[in-house]
């Protein structure tokens, strides 16, 4: 039987073939990686394939791909740089006076406009990545609820390098290819009530989601010194259940 679900599965299969047969091509193409993540999310929800970027969005994505894969070409092409600034400004012009999406005016990280971002000394080309990271952090803060303040205070007590590694992983949007956890590993992963609750919520997809959590946690810790890794594990071990669940939801996405 074909249809929307079949279209999603077929496109996933095509990209996964590229991952397997031409991994270097896949690693260089972040647009393809982002598309695969969107398709995985649609498949999990039983939703149709999300629309592919078109028009200005597609043009901006292509310039960002060039920036990632051939930065020298981008720096030599002043017309491309000007066009990219125009595309970014078109996205932001209607939102200058709007509150950040999901903001409650509380302790969420503020979302800067493009002009504020560049005025602070950051490069315009890094704006979307920075905004995505802020949204990811705010997702965790909202999910943590009343435990957010305790989570944040513990995070700020870690070294700058440890915080950077954690935030980088929370903001990462590339799909993580993992093998699902075995039954034995799942029993070990869900020994705590909050983990068992997530496993029940995720159902048959829990072994894959918990494998993502484990892989991304290891990846974050691997970027740290031994002392920072130990301090980070202590911080995680002492988080309230609500904060742990918020962090795990983001890592499992």
């Amino acid at each position: 039987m074909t249809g929307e679900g079949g279209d999603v599965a077929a496109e996933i299969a095509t990209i996964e073939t590229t991952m397997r047969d031409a991994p270097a091509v896949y690693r260089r193409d972040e647009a393809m990686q982002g598309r695969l993540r969107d398709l995985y999310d649609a498949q999990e929800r039983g939703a149709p394939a999300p629309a592919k970027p078109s028009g200005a969005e597609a043009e901006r994505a292509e310039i960002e791909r060039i920036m990632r894969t051939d930065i020298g070409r981008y720096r030599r092409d002043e017309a491309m740089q000007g066009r990219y600034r125009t595309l970014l400004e078109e996205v932001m012009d209607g939102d200058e006076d709007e509150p950040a999406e999901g903001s409650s005016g509380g302790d969420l990280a503020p979302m800067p406009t493009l002009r504020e971002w560049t005025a602070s000394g950051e490069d315009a080309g890094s704006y979307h990545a920075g905004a995505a990271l802020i949204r990811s952090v705010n997702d965790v803060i909202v999910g943590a609820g009343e435990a957010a303040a305790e989570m944040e205070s513990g995070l700020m007590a870690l070294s700058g390098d440890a915080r950077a590694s954690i935030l980088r992983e929370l903001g990462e949007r590339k799909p993580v290819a993992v093998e699902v956890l075995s039954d034995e590993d799942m029993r070990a992963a869900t020994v705590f009530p909050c983990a068992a609750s997530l496993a029940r919520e995720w159902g048959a997809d829990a072994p894959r989601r918990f494998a993502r959590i484990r892989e991304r946690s290891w990846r974050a810790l691997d970027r740290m010194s031994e002392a920072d890794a130990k301090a980070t594990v202590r911080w995680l071990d002492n988080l309230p259940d609500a904060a742990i669940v918020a962090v795990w939801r983001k890592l499992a996405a």
Side-chain angles (χ1 to χ4, degrees):
M1 180 177 177
T2 59
E4 292 173 342
D7 292 342
V8 172
E11 192 173 350
I12 287 174
T14 298
I15 297 177
E16 288 180 339
T17 297
T18 301
M19 291 172 63
R20 183 182 64 249
D21 298 342
V25 172
Y26 176 78
R27 286 195 298 269
R28 287 195 301 269
D29 194 335
E30 294 191 14
M32 184 187 298
Q33 296 164 15
R35 178 64 178 172
L36 182 58
R37 178 190 174 90
D38 290 343
L39 289 165
Y40 280 149
D41 289 344
Q43 188 178 57
E44 290 170 4
R45 299 192 309 271
K52 293 183 178 179
S54 60
E57 185 180 356
E59 186 179 0
R60 190 179 71 244
E62 173 61 16
I63 295 175
E64 289 173 348
R65 184 192 66 78
I66 292 170
M67 292 167 68
R68 292 189 300 269
T69 60
D70 190 358
I71 189 62
R73 174 184 170 188
Y74 174 78
R75 288 171 176 164
R76 291 191 300 270
D77 193 331
E78 293 187 7
M80 185 186 298
Q81 296 168 28
R83 179 58 180 160
Y84 185 63
R85 287 193 294 270
T86 297
L87 290 167
L88 290 179
E89 288 169 0
E90 287 175 356
V91 171
M92 296 305 301
D93 275 346
D95 301 324
E96 290 281 325
D97 298 321
E98 296 295 323
E101 182 180 348
S103 175
S104 62
D107 295 324
L108 297 184
M111 180 67 71
T113 65
L114 174 61
R115 291 187 179 91
E116 290 169 341
W117 182 262
T118 54
S120 70
E122 298 288 350
D123 182 75
S126 67
Y127 176 76
H128 283 293
L133 175 57
I134 293 170
R135 284 193 293 271
S136 292
V137 170
N138 284 340
D139 285 346
V140 175
I141 291 173
V142 170
E146 294 181 357
E150 185 175 347
M151 178 181 67
E152 184 177 3
S153 65
L155 179 63
M156 294 308 296
L158 300 175
S159 75
D161 287 343
R163 289 198 303 274
S165 183
I166 293 166
L167 294 176
R168 173 179 169 183
E169 204 58 47
L170 290 174
E172 180 62 79
R173 288 188 53 83
K174 297 178 184 177
V176 180
V178 293
E179 294 185 6
V180 300
L181 294 188
S182 66
D183 290 344
E184 181 180 356
D185 285 341
M186 275 300 297
R187 285 192 291 272
T190 57
V191 66
F192 297 108
C194 59
S197 176
L198 281 176
R200 288 192 295 272
E201 175 187 329
W202 290 334
D205 197 39
R208 181 168 66 89
R209 287 180 177 263
F210 274 94
R212 286 183 182 179
I213 293 170
R214 184 172 68 175
E215 174 63 25
R216 296 180 70 181
S217 297
W218 285 348
R219 202 162 60 180
L221 293 172
D222 282 345
R223 289 192 291 262
M224 302 179 194
S225 68
E226 183 177 354
D228 281 347
K230 289 180 178 178
T232 298
V233 170
R234 285 195 298 271
W235 168 66
L236 290 169
D237 285 345
N238 288 294
L239 285 179
D241 283 357
I244 292 174
V245 168
V247 170
W248 282 356
R249 285 186 189 280
K250 179 57 64 174
L251 293 178

